[in-house]
Amino acid sequence: MSNDMEDACLCKASLQPTGILSLASSGLSPVRLEVPLTREQRVSPGADRPGGGTSHPSVSSQGCHHPSPEQAAFGIWNRQLSGGSSSRRVLDTSSSTTSHRSSSARTVLVRVWVSPVHPARQGTGHSPGGSAGDPYQSAIEALGNYPQKKFYNVSKLGGAKYDTLPYSIRVLFESSVRNCDGFLVKETDAMNILDWKTKQNNVEVPFCPARVVLQDFTGIPAMVDFAAMREAVRNAGGDPVKVNPACPTDLTVDHSLQIDFSKCAIQNAPNPGGGDSQKALAKLSPLRAQPRKLPCRGQTGCKGPCDSSRGPAQPAAQIENTPLLCPFHLRPVPEPETVLKNQEMEFGRNRERLQFFKWSSKVFRNISIIPPETGMAHQVNLEYLSRVVFEVKDFLYPDSLVGTDSHTTMVNGLGILGWGVGGIEAEAVMLGMPLSLPLPEVVGCELTGTASPLATSIDIVLSITKHLRQADVAGKFVEFFGSGVAQLSVADRTTIANMCPEYGAVLSFFPVDNVTLKHLRHAGFDKAKLEVMEAYLKAVKLFRNGESSSREPEYSQVVQISLSSIIPYVSGPKRSQDRVAVTNMKSDFQACLNEKSGVKGFQIAAEKQNDTVPVQYEGNEYKLSHGCIVIAAVISCTNNCNPSVMLAAGLLAKKAVEAGLVVKPYIRTSLSPGSGMVTHYLSSSGVLPYLSKLGFEVVGYGCSTCVGNTAPLPEAVRNAIKQGDIVACGVLSGTKNFEGRLCDCVRANYLASPPLVVAYAIAGTVRIDFETEPLGTGFNGKSIYLRDIWPTRRELHTVEEECVISSMFKELKEKMEKGNKRWNLLEAPESTLFPWDLKSTYIRCPSFFDKLAKEPVSPQPIENAHVLLYLGDGVTTDHISPAGSIARSSAAAKYLTNKGLTPREFNSYGARRGNDAVMTRGTFANIKLLNKFIGKPAPKTIHFPSGQTLDVFEAAELYQKEGIPVIILAGKKYGLGSSRDWAAKGPFLLGVKAVLAESYEKVHKSQLIGIGIAPLQFLPGENPSTLGLTGREQFSILFPPELSPGMTLDVKTSTGKGFSVIALFDNDLEITLYRYGGSLNFVARRFL
């Protein structure tokens, strides 16, 4: 594009009042522009994608609005930029119109990368940073051989103290310096971080992440809240157009996939629309699966599913972003029917949700929606969104983020500081509030030695998980160093970093080093950008060079792990922290059968432990016994980002098929890759057909089995399991294996590496000793052992070099830029306010803003509250928050039935997170919830005024009708796990006013405050038992007019007993949020 044309485009862009950039259709190519966004001394994403190219000149903005001290103190103010702020648009390059144009001319949407600029620095012509009011202006320097590049040289600013800081703390320090304005971030905050050695765990510090990443399970309630906030602001007399995300946000629609079809066969597929299922399926999408009947005819030995007779004028249907090749001819082949059919079902079943997302992409500024079938949020973040170093208007600073996906921490494997937060916190950050956190302890994890050839990255992950859990790293940062780190690829590092929520750490950080740069080169980063990146990271001492490092950082404590000691493990049968050496699997499962029911035991009588139950399936008889495998899933949430473990599974499958081994047909097998890139290297390496031969056929792209979206087991198998009270097993390569999560009749669930998932599927049971017992019988009756088909490290390395090449990353990025055909053709409303459909069972305006007021009220006392639930230790957010399929007997099912839906139309809780009525009814609906009032696992409680045993929702509903507040009693570690936003929102809508627990998972505690529930903690050494409480009493809690962090409150019971609890408010901000009824109401009132 010529300079004149660029100037014309920039001029036109500057006249767009909403920040939406459009070009009249005239043959022009789309361009990327940087647009300033008013925001308080915060520099956020605005650079081009890491693949290369140059930024266009920035467009200056007008009409800056300076915040008042009160507004700035909490990071929210009304932004005025020509009637609104700039935006990043959806990944949609289709021709369309928007609500901001009156013209009907055909236009092309242009992706915008926002360059937020502080009002005081606006219009100076300088790079971000360096205004007269900047206390750290003197620290801004030019970057060595790149004098046009500027940055804060925090290494000189911090001096000797900076050199001893852990790398992750250096990132926090840089952020505090760059964002220091005396309001949101003060000089004292920066100095506290610099004095980390003495201030850790003693002070709260603000953190301004560069961006936010959402996945759709948590993204849809966030966007529904934004839509509801617009409604509430309008009703209160404010301007709803002002309600927009302030922090750049990417939302990936990746959690709606369910496995309705597998092995190219219909598995009792639900009919989302009613009527004739085939006709309904035909209407769901303009793309249809092409029949795949003919074998490859170009070579007699070809086992691949290609049709060489297809001419160039008859292209095969291809799934978006998934370039499948025949491994024998390297020619495009038709997509597996299962993928296309599952995609059809996904778009049909979730049409309302997807239309809502499409509406959000049109009306909300500063948000990008990444359509379905592109990949998972964390995978897209790794492969496409991550920058490592931002460059905005020639100003450099580190990449950082927070995300609502529990796998957000994977980016720390790239040297990007990021961690998972709940939906409520993410929404606050999206609206401009800094994230407040205690200055964390940092545990140094020193890796030494070399791992066994049989040990995969999953084995390393589980070993590190065990060591760090024992080291008590909850609420701390973990940072890796030592000679062993250089032996780990970026894929290994991201896999290790991914598991940190399971051992309680906030994040696990791998500083950028030469291994990282090598990976980025293969991933398609521009060479010039990599050179600038390396120079910048070395200038601010964020680059680790193990060979010449003069001084290691000082850590709060050091945990040493020898990779040489790591052997293959699996994890289960009920908890991810219960590791079992593969060599001990058979004996350990036997012990589980003998143990009493609990965290590991199943309490099966000795005389029944060898029982078998016959089952007829597809004309053959099989026998099920304790330990039999019925679900085997290589799923998307942890290891599909790692070529070594995925290729190991594929190579093992190849050797198994060649040896004549098979998987029993009743076992529900599936392969859900993290992105099309994963399928690409599996296909290109020639292993995908072999996985498919064993039943591990690609079913789609997104979270499925791990979040409870597995296809139903065959009815005959379910009946046989129940008839014989069989302890059936699931084996999956994920991170979550809580009991009952995969299927209510699968009691034992093991986490394993992908090759072991395939191996156990072939064996058909976990009661096998791989060293002495064969997996099965191959050709000519020969016994085949695991050692016969296990791929060596040399084999894996060779295949990686040949298959995982930079062109694959480049192709993936190009396809992501083009978007998704189904998404581009999807119609959605364009009004400023969302047109709520009262009949909708997916999208519903929530009641969080019913009491929106301009001024806060003093905390009200909780008087004569009943206990809704009396819970024990280790209650996870999986127990609290709705997840998985909707049980037919649940309160949510009754609600949907009353709305006219049939059970096959229920969909999952995750898909209905935009409907607070469904989610509230699904709160505490987990079948494994152990309420001490009931005495056995069940989602039930007692309504004490009537004495009835009811569903939790029904009891809470009665209490609310009677005007009786409720509280929850709990033990230690209340709120472990993910899915945190509805673990707070759900209890709030049930009428819960406070939780009294012995201890909390910190993020969940913050979520409770963020929604308006008081987190109260028993005094040390006290709990309901020591206090003589039965939970049947009524409780009164008096809140003083002025709360202070950590103050003690008095509790009185209806029996005359009294005791004290600690109000777990860590700082004045949390108290302020509680006074306003939570962060959502606090933020909303800023727009009035």
Side-chain angles (χ1 to χ4, degrees):
M1 182 182 292
S2 67
N3 292 335
D4 291 341
M5 185 61 70
E6 281 190 1
D7 292 340
C9 293
L10 289 170
C11 180
K12 177 161 184 166
S14 67
L15 298 177
Q16 294 289 328
T18 62
I20 291 181
L21 307 184
S22 61
L23 299 175
S25 180
S26 59
L28 297 179
S29 300
V31 297
R32 291 175 177 170
L33 305 177
E34 291 185 5
V35 182
L37 170 69
T38 306
R39 189 177 180 190
E40 181 63 22
Q41 247 173 11
R42 180 95 55 90
V43 179
S44 296
D48 286 340
R49 288 300 189 202
T54 59
S55 300
H56 290 271
S58 296
V59 184
S60 62
S61 64
Q62 304 294 329
C64 301
H65 177 71
H66 293 264
S68 68
E70 178 190 4
Q71 291 171 325
F74 299 104
I76 302 296
W77 55 85
N78 298 332
R79 293 174 291 114
Q80 299 178 350
L81 177 57
S82 301
S85 63
S86 303
S87 90
R88 286 193 300 166
R89 302 306 299 158
V90 65
L91 290 176
D92 183 351
T93 56
S94 63
S95 298
S96 63
T97 58
T98 74
S99 60
H100 307 285
R101 298 190 306 270
S102 59
S103 171
S104 60
R106 181 175 178 267
T107 61
V108 179
L109 295 184
V110 181
R111 182 106 190 224
V112 182
W113 296 101
V114 180
S115 302
V117 181
H118 179 272
R121 301 173 184 175
Q122 196 81 29
T124 62
H126 296 158
S127 301
S131 72
D134 182 2
Y136 297 111
Q137 182 177 7
S138 60
I140 296 177
E141 294 185 3
L143 180 64
N145 296 328
Y146 309 92
Q148 75 279 16
K149 310 293 184 184
K150 301 295 191 299
F151 70 104
Y152 282 97
N153 194 337
V154 288
S155 63
K156 290 184 178 180
L157 185 65
K161 285 185 178 181
Y162 182 87
D163 293 341
T164 65
L165 291 178
Y167 288 84
S168 52
I169 300 299
R170 296 178 192 183
V171 177
L172 293 181
F173 179 62
E174 192 280 340
S175 176
S176 68
V177 169
R178 177 167 39 88
N179 291 285
C180 185
D181 62 357
F183 296 120
L184 288 175
V185 183
K186 302 177 181 179
E187 290 185 68
T188 54
D189 294 320
M191 291 303 101
N192 283 337
I193 297 174
L194 188 60
D195 291 333
W196 168 82
K197 187 174 181 180
T198 59
K199 296 294 182 66
Q200 55 184 295
N201 261 349
N202 294 325
V203 295
E204 290 273 334
V205 294
F207 175 56
C208 302
R211 54 192 174 98
V212 175
V213 175
L214 304 175
Q215 44 91 340
D216 57 324
F217 266 24
T218 47
I220 193 165
M223 299 315 300
V224 167
D225 288 346
F226 270 80
M229 188 183 297
R230 279 195 165 197
E231 196 89 19
V233 168
R234 191 277 307 270
N235 293 339
D239 182 1
V241 176
K242 293 181 179 179
V243 180
N244 291 288
C247 184
T249 302
D250 294 288
L251 190 156
T252 304
V253 184
D254 69 332
H255 275 55
S256 59
L257 175 67
Q258 294 188 38
I259 304 174
D260 298 302
F261 304 95
S262 64
K263 301 181 182 178
C264 288
I266 297 176
Q267 307 288 348
N268 298 318
N271 179 1
D276 183 80
S277 60
Q278 293 302 316
K279 291 181 180 179
L281 187 62
K283 297 178 181 179
L284 299 183
S285 168
L287 296 183
R288 294 300 313 280
Q290 299 295 322
R292 193 175 49 160
K293 299 179 180 179
L294 299 176
C296 178
R297 303 185 187 279
Q299 179 175 322
T300 56
C302 179
K303 300 177 182 178
C306 69
D307 179 7
S308 62
S309 63
R310 189 183 303 276
Q314 298 173 294
Q318 295 288 305
I319 294 180
E320 293 295 314
N321 308 324
T322 314
L324 291 182
L325 303 175
C326 169
F328 299 92
H329 297 123
L330 297 180
R331 292 186 57 180
V333 302
E335 294 292 344
E337 293 179 36
T338 52
V339 183
L340 286 172
K341 289 180 179 179
N342 282 314
Q343 287 181 356
E344 298 281 0
M345 295 300 296
E346 179 179 3
F347 267 78
R349 175 189 289 118
N350 299 292
R351 182 169 294 274
E352 281 188 57
R353 297 171 60 246
L354 297 179
Q355 286 177 329
F356 175 77
F357 281 134
K358 193 68 176 286
W359 170 82
S360 298
S361 72
K362 291 182 177 182
V363 303
F364 286 114
R365 308 167 197 133
N366 218 24
I367 187 166
S368 294
I369 306 292
I370 299 172
E373 305 307 329
T374 303
M376 290 103 39
H378 52 281
Q379 198 69 32
V380 171
N381 191 24
L382 279 175
E383 298 173 14
Y384 180 70
L385 301 176
S386 295
R387 286 86 151 172
V388 183
V389 171
F390 271 102
E391 181 177 334
V392 180
K393 298 170 65 177
D394 287 331
F395 201 91
L396 305 172
Y397 58 96
D399 189 0
S400 62
L401 71 141
V402 292
T404 59
D405 188 88
S406 60
H407 309 293
T408 301
T409 51
M410 293 177 80
V411 298
N412 291 278
L414 275 176
I416 299 171
L417 193 71
W419 63 91
V421 297
I424 301 169
E425 286 178 310
E427 290 177 49
V429 174
M430 289 168 67
L431 280 166
M433 295 178 65
L435 193 67
S436 179
L437 71 156
L439 188 58
E441 295 181 41
V442 181
V443 177
C445 185
E446 184 178 14
L447 302 181
T448 60
T450 304
S452 162
L454 292 180
T456 68
S457 61
I458 304 305
D459 301 316
I460 297 174
V461 165
L462 295 177
S463 178
I464 291 175
T465 298
K466 177 183 178 181
H467 282 85
L468 294 179
R469 187 178 289 278
Q470 293 173 343
D472 187 22
V473 297
K476 304 173 184 178
F477 286 9
V478 174
E479 190 168 294
F480 290 86
F481 70 103
S483 59
V485 174
Q487 302 173 38
L488 302 178
S489 67
V490 167
D492 292 330
R493 299 176 187 190
T494 56
T495 308
I496 293 169
N498 177 69
M499 283 294 282
C500 73
E502 304 306 319
Y503 46 80
V506 177
L507 56 87
S508 294
F509 191 73
F510 288 84
V512 176
D513 60 6
N514 289 319
V515 174
T516 313
L517 294 181
K518 181 179 179 180
H519 168 81
L520 295 177
R521 280 193 292 271
H522 286 301
F525 269 64
D526 180 75
K527 181 180 179 181
K529 286 182 177 289
L530 280 176
E531 291 174 352
V532 172
M533 176 190 301
E534 183 176 0
Y536 167 73
L537 292 173
K538 288 181 177 179
V540 294
K541 298 183 179 178
L542 287 175
F543 186 89
R544 177 184 287 279
N545 189 335
E547 297 179 358
S548 61
S549 179
S550 59
R551 185 175 185 181
E552 287 289 352
E554 296 180 4
Y555 296 105
S556 306
Q557 67 182 93
V558 173
V559 176
Q560 294 181 324
I561 299 176
S562 173
L563 300 181
S564 304
S565 65
I566 297 175
I567 59 176
Y569 280 89
V570 296
S571 186
K574 300 181 182 181
R575 304 186 305 177
S576 60
Q577 65 262 40
D578 295 326
R579 298 196 312 150
V580 182
V582 174
T583 54
N584 299 332
M585 181 65 161
K586 184 175 182 180
S587 59
D588 186 84
F589 184 80
Q590 184 65 43
C592 291
L593 295 180
N594 292 325
E595 285 185 25
K596 293 182 179 181
S597 295
V599 295
K600 288 198 68 171
F602 298 103
Q603 200 170 351
I604 303 298
E607 63 273 13
K608 294 185 177 181
Q609 291 180 7
N610 294 317
D611 288 355
T612 61
V613 180
V615 58
Q616 292 287 333
Y617 187 74
E618 294 184 349
N620 296 313
E621 181 176 287
Y622 302 91
K623 292 185 178 180
L624 302 183
S625 60
H626 296 295
C628 63
I629 302 291
V630 293
I631 295 176
V634 178
I635 61 176
S636 55
C637 65
T638 300
N639 19 51
N640 295 16
C641 67
N642 192 328
S644 65
V645 291
M646 290 299 291
L647 287 174
L651 291 175
L652 187 145
K654 180 176 184 292
K655 290 185 175 184
V657 170
E658 291 172 343
L661 297 177
V662 297
V663 174
K664 295 180 177 65
Y666 63 79
I667 298 177
R668 183 67 74 234
T669 52
S670 61
L671 170 62
S672 180
S675 71
M677 187 272 290
V678 176
T679 306
H680 194 148
Y681 64 68
L682 287 178
S683 178
S684 299
S685 63
V687 300
L688 196 58
Y690 299 98
L691 285 165
S692 178
K693 183 72 173 178
L694 294 180
F696 293 94
E697 189 172 75
V698 177
V699 295
Y701 299 86
C703 292
S704 51
T705 306
C706 193
V707 294
N709 287 349
T710 188
L713 295 177
E715 195 68 24
V717 174
R718 291 175 61 92
N719 292 338
I721 292 173
K722 293 179 179 179
Q723 174 188 338
D725 191 27
I726 296 297
V727 181
C729 300
V731 184
L732 63 152
S733 58
T735 60
K736 302 292 192 302
N737 64 333
F738 299 116
E739 187 176 6
R741 182 166 185 145
L742 303 188
C743 180
D744 58 3
C745 65
V746 179
R747 295 155 66 182
N749 299 300
Y750 288 92
L751 306 181
S753 64
L756 282 177
V757 171
V758 177
Y760 276 112
I762 294 170
T765 180
V766 299
R767 300 174 80 175
I768 180 174
D769 183 344
F770 286 135
E771 290 292 328
T772 60
E773 300 177 64
L775 291 174
T777 303
F779 297 125
N780 303 322
K782 180 182 178 181
S783 294
I784 307 298
Y785 291 82
L786 180 61
R787 58 179 173 268
D788 297 327
I789 62 174
W790 190 270
T792 65
R793 281 187 175 274
R794 183 181 295 273
E795 289 175 304
L796 288 174
H797 179 73
T798 300
V799 175
E800 284 177 356
E801 289 295 321
E802 293 178 354
C803 301
V804 186
I805 56 177
S806 59
S807 62
M808 295 181 181
F809 288 89
K810 180 180 180 181
E811 184 171 357
L812 173 64
K813 292 174 183 178
E814 290 175 351
K815 287 181 175 291
M816 289 181 65
E817 291 283 4
K818 293 178 182 178
N820 179 292
K821 289 183 179 179
R822 291 182 180 88
W823 174 263
N824 292 345
L825 294 174
L826 187 67
E827 296 182 355
E830 299 181 352
S831 54
T832 299
L833 299 178
F834 184 71
W836 307 100
D837 182 358
L838 298 180
K839 297 180 180 179
S840 173
T841 57
Y842 280 98
I843 307 295
R844 188 173 182 265
C845 188
S847 56
F848 300 124
F849 303 100
D850 286 354
K851 298 180 180 179
L852 179 63
K854 290 187 176 182
E855 299 299 330
V857 296
S858 299
Q860 300 299 305
I862 301 173
E863 297 180 342
N864 299 318
H866 272 295
V867 176
L868 181 64
L869 292 163
Y870 184 3
L871 307 172
D873 296 339
V875 174
T876 70
T877 49
D878 265 41
H879 291 110
I880 307 169
S881 183
S885 59
I886 299 174
R888 296 189 180 190
S889 60
S890 65
K894 296 174 185 176
Y895 167 81
L896 293 173
T897 300
N898 290 336
K899 291 288 186 179
L901 274 65
T902 62
R904 61 195 314 184
E905 296 172 305
F906 286 171
N907 211 329
S908 64
Y909 282 113
R912 295 191 182 274
R913 283 196 178 197
N915 186 325
D916 64 312
V918 172
M919 299 302 289
T920 305
R921 286 165 172 80
T923 302
F924 293 113
N926 189 296
I927 61 173
K928 296 303 177 181
L929 179 71
L930 182 57
N931 181 6
K932 294 185 179 181
F933 292 149
I934 305 301
K936 62 180 181 180
K940 302 285 185 179
T941 195
I942 297 175
H943 176 253
F944 290 108
S946 65
Q948 300 179 78
T949 298
L950 303 169
D951 286 338
V952 175
F953 171 79
E954 293 172 344
E957 188 177 39
L958 279 180
Y959 281 127
Q960 292 193 53
K961 289 180 179 178
E962 296 161 349
I964 301 174
V966 293
I967 63 173
I968 292 173
L969 296 181
K972 300 174 182 177
K973 301 290 184 181
Y974 180 77
L976 289 170
S978 59
S979 302
R980 300 180 184 117
D981 58 334
W982 271 104
K985 289 180 176 179
F988 174 81
L989 293 178
L990 288 174
V992 175
K993 302 300 181 184
V995 177
L996 279 67
E998 290 185 68
S999 63
Y1000 294 83
E1001 197 275 339
K1002 181 172 178 59
V1003 173
H1004 182 64
K1005 187 270 295 183
S1006 298
Q1007 291 298 297
L1008 293 176
I1009 296 172
I1011 200 62
I1013 296 176
L1016 308 178
Q1017 181 172 291
F1018 292 103
L1019 297 179
E1022 295 184 353
N1023 57 47
S1025 297
T1026 62
L1027 293 171
L1029 303 176
T1030 65
R1032 297 173 180 268
E1033 308 90 344
Q1034 286 184 273
F1035 294 75
S1036 296
I1037 307 169
L1038 180 63
F1039 288 85
E1042 296 296 330
L1043 285 171
S1044 60
M1047 74 182 307
T1048 300
L1049 305 178
D1050 293 327
V1051 182
K1052 295 182 180 180
T1053 68
S1054 56
T1055 60
K1057 292 182 180 179
F1059 59 95
S1060 297
V1061 294
I1062 301 171
L1064 289 186
F1065 300 108
D1066 293 334
N1067 50 57
D1068 291 335
L1069 176 58
E1070 289 189 342
I1071 292 174
T1072 300
L1073 295 179
Y1074 179 72
R1075 290 177 62 219
Y1076 277 96
S1079 59
L1080 292 176
N1081 278 274
F1082 172 76
V1083 169
R1085 70 172 287 274
R1086 312 308 298 179
F1087 297 109
L1088 300 182

